Amino acid sequence: MENPLYPIFLKLDNKKVLIIGGGLIALQKLKGLLNTEAKITIIAPHIIDEIKDARGEFPNIRKIEFIERDYAYGDELSAFMVIAATDNPEINNMIATRCRDQMILANSVDQPEFCDFYVPSIIESGSIKVAISTNGKAPSVARKLREDLSSLIEERYKNLVEIVNEFRLKIQKKIIAEENFPRRMKLINWFTERAFKKLSNAEK
């Protein structure tokens, strides 16, 4: 069966992301949000120290709002996205359903049928970010693929993006007219192919 998911990378700048839950699962979901510019709020009766420590230390403190109480109906109203990560699947599913009714993106952890989106396994190296999905069926497979691929990307391709981007910017300055777009793309593609061949030849 094919994977019907539509892959996107969301811009969360100044958007409220609500995580409901304060344990290890919530921590796992929080880690993937720390490099974004989202406004993160965490609600739970008890929030573990590892989550609180994720704010960082002065002068690099990441603003995260902590609310130590049970979830209450309406907490999700101003959120762009909600991750329900309590230790109670029924509560998570209820929260996700309420969010769907209000057109808020929701994820009920480990409950694929109650998710508008899945949080994929991520490979990140410099400007490269790769998301791996198994359609919510086998997160452990996605994690293993991440482990296998991350070292390859780190070793071979980490600096390639910046090299190609530098060339792309130079070409855009030199060949400005809109009608020259095909020529620009041809040159950029040529340079990219050349860069890949250099990598392959260097490893032989």
Side-chain angles (χ1 to χ4, degrees):
M1 179 181 175
E2 293 183 357
N3 188 331
L5 297 176
Y6 179 63
I8 60 173
F9 285 93
L10 288 173
K11 289 184 177 181
L12 296 176
D13 301 30
N14 295 315
K15 289 182 169 60
K16 180 178 177 179
V17 175
L18 175 62
I19 299 175
I20 301 169
L24 292 175
I25 296 174
L27 174 63
Q28 181 186 8
K29 304 305 179 185
L30 172 63
K31 285 179 178 178
L33 291 164
L34 291 175
N35 287 334
T36 73
E37 294 299 324
K39 295 179 178 178
I40 302 170
T41 299
I42 297 174
I43 297 177
H46 173 69
I47 299 172
I48 61 175
D49 290 339
E50 290 88 342
I51 288 179
K52 293 180 178 179
D53 291 343
R55 286 181 297 187
E57 298 179 357
F58 180 83
N60 299 311
I61 295 177
R62 175 69 158 82
K63 188 178 186 310
I64 303 173
E65 182 180 10
F66 299 112
I67 302 175
E68 296 198 74
R69 61 165 171 76
D70 286 322
Y71 160 80
Y73 178 71
D75 283 337
E76 72 281 354
L77 288 178
S78 61
F80 173 77
M81 187 170 83
V82 173
I83 297 174
T86 75
D87 58 2
N88 188 322
E90 290 185 4
I91 292 176
N92 292 341
N93 295 344
M94 175 195 68
I95 293 168
T97 300
R98 287 178 175 176
C99 290
R100 283 178 170 179
D101 291 343
Q102 299 168 81
M103 304 297 287
I104 298 168
L105 289 172
N107 175 283
S108 177
V109 295
D110 294 330
Q111 302 290 316
E113 65 274 23
F114 286 89
C115 293
D116 295 318
F117 65 94
Y118 304 136
V119 180
S121 282
I122 297 293
I123 300 168
E124 192 164 4
S125 180
S127 295
I128 298 174
K129 182 175 285 190
V130 179
I132 303 171
S133 165
T134 56
N135 201 17
K137 294 180 178 179
S140 59
V141 173
R143 284 193 293 271
K144 185 64 175 69
L145 284 170
R146 181 192 65 202
E147 292 170 6
D148 289 351
L149 292 172
S150 60
S151 59
L152 174 66
I153 291 174
E154 179 72 21
E155 290 171 9
R156 294 190 62 183
Y157 304 120
K158 181 176 182 180
N159 299 319
L160 191 60
V161 172
E162 304 307 324
I163 292 169
V164 172
N165 183 55
E166 185 178 342
F167 179 80
R168 182 181 64 89
L169 294 175
K170 287 179 180 177
I171 292 298
Q172 286 178 342
K173 287 180 180 179
K174 289 182 178 180
I175 308 174
I176 299 172
E178 188 64 30
E179 60 268 21
N180 286 323
F181 177 78
R183 185 183 170 203
R184 289 204 303 266
M185 288 307 301
K186 187 175 181 180
L187 284 168
I188 293 167
N189 289 336
W190 165 82
F191 184 84
T192 302
E193 290 289 340
R194 183 168 168 264
F196 270 84
K197 284 180 181 178
K198 275 189 172 182
L199 275 176
S200 297
N201 291 336
E203 293 174 355
K204 288 179 181 179

